[in-house]
Amino acid sequence: EDDGLINSSWREAMVTSMGIPGVICAIRMIEPMGGPKPLQGWGFVVIGAACAMLSFFNRGADVAVPVSKWGSFIACCLLIFALNWGCNITSYVMPIEKFPKECRSSFHGVSAGFGKVGALI
C-alpha cells in the first residue's frame, strides 16, 4: 500500500522532530538524575527497548507488510527521542565535566575527533 509522497514526508518529519523534545528533556533531567553518566546509561536502556519494539513490529524481511504500521511509527519516534535524550546530549556534557579548565577546549576537540574515528571504524 502506497501512501504517497506527501503522507510519507509528514510521517518522516514527525519522527525526525522527536529529537527536539528529547534534547529538551535531557537538558531538564541531567541534574535531577545525578549528572550525564546515569542519563547516558538510561538512554542506552531506552534505545534498547525501542529497538526491541521495532523488531517486534517488523517481523523480518520476508514479510512485506509490518505487523503494525502505527506500532512501527511509535517505535521509531521513541528511538529518535531516546537517541537525542541520552547519548547525544551526554557526549557534549561529559567532556566539559571531566576535563580541567586549562585544557578543556583542546581535550574536548580531541575527544570528539576520536569519537568520530571510532564511529568510522
Side-chain angles (χ1 to χ4, degrees):
E1 170 180 334
D2 187 21
D3 288 338
L5 182 63
I6 300 297
N7 287 336
S8 296
S9 298
W10 276 110
R11 276 195 305 273
E12 291 299 321
M14 287 180 66
V15 168
T16 305
S17 68
M18 288 305 294
I20 296 168
V23 169
I24 293 170
C25 284
I27 290 170
R28 293 197 177 264
M29 293 177 71
I30 200 162
E31 286 301 318
M33 288 187 82
K37 202 80 159 167
L39 180 66
Q40 190 172 39
W42 280 107
F44 286 129
V45 169
V46 176
I47 289 169
C51 287
M53 281 177 54
L54 200 55
S55 69
F56 175 76
F57 289 119
N58 293 316
R59 298 264 173 113
D62 57 343
V63 179
V65 179
V67 174
S68 170
K69 186 193 277 187
W70 284 103
S72 296
F73 176 74
I74 290 169
C76 284
C77 287
L78 180 64
L79 181 62
I80 297 298
F81 178 89
L83 285 169
N84 285 287
W85 177 63
C87 340
N88 189 17
I89 290 296
T90 57
S91 65
Y92 292 106
V93 174
M94 284 180 80
I96 293 170
E97 192 175 85
K98 300 297 178 191
F99 298 133
K101 288 182 183 180
E102 296 81 29
C103 60
R104 185 175 294 162
S105 62
S106 299
F107 283 180
H108 194 284
V110 170
S111 170
F114 276 116
K116 302 298 180 201
V117 170
L120 181 67
I121 294 174

